[in-house]
Amino acid sequence: LQSLADVADRPNYSLARVDITDGPAVMELFEREAPDLVVHFAAESHVDRSILGPGAFVQTNVVGTFQLLEAARSQHKKKSLLFHHVS
């Protein structure tokens, strides 16, 4: 959070702590915030984590990304939205 301190007060910035595998919570966030840009970085990006805990890796990176994409797709039906995914 310290690395975001410089932008924390900007009107076009928002940070939400939501479990990305929780589809209803992600959908509610997208409906509430109505983003026009989503930047998604793979949450479990360290290779060793995918070897030591493949279930958590799949839940976060596959299921979580799917939930974000579904919410973005739903939001995109209402307005333009850019989804940038870095994995």
Side-chain angles (χ1 to χ4, degrees):
L1 292 177
Q2 290 176 342
S3 66
L4 301 171
D6 291 342
V7 298
D9 293 330
R10 293 186 182 184
N12 64 342
Y13 168 80
S14 177
L15 174 68
R17 288 184 170 187
V18 175
D19 179 352
I20 63 171
T21 66
D22 183 346
V26 172
M27 190 68 72
E28 191 276 327
L29 176 66
F30 273 64
E31 289 173 1
R32 183 179 72 236
E33 295 294 330
D36 54 11
L37 169 66
V38 175
V39 179
H40 169 51
F41 295 91
E44 302 285 346
S45 59
H46 196 278
V47 174
D48 290 347
R49 289 186 182 174
S50 67
I51 295 167
L52 297 173
F57 177 86
V58 168
Q59 279 294 24
T60 303
N61 284 17
V62 178
V63 175
T65 298
F66 171 75
Q67 297 299 346
L68 289 171
L69 286 168
E70 284 296 289
R73 188 168 62 119
S74 174
Q75 186 67 35
H76 183 67
K77 292 176 184 176
K78 301 172 190 168
K79 67 179 221 170
S80 180
L81 180 132
L82 177 64
F83 191 99
H84 184 80
H85 179 222
V86 179
S87 179

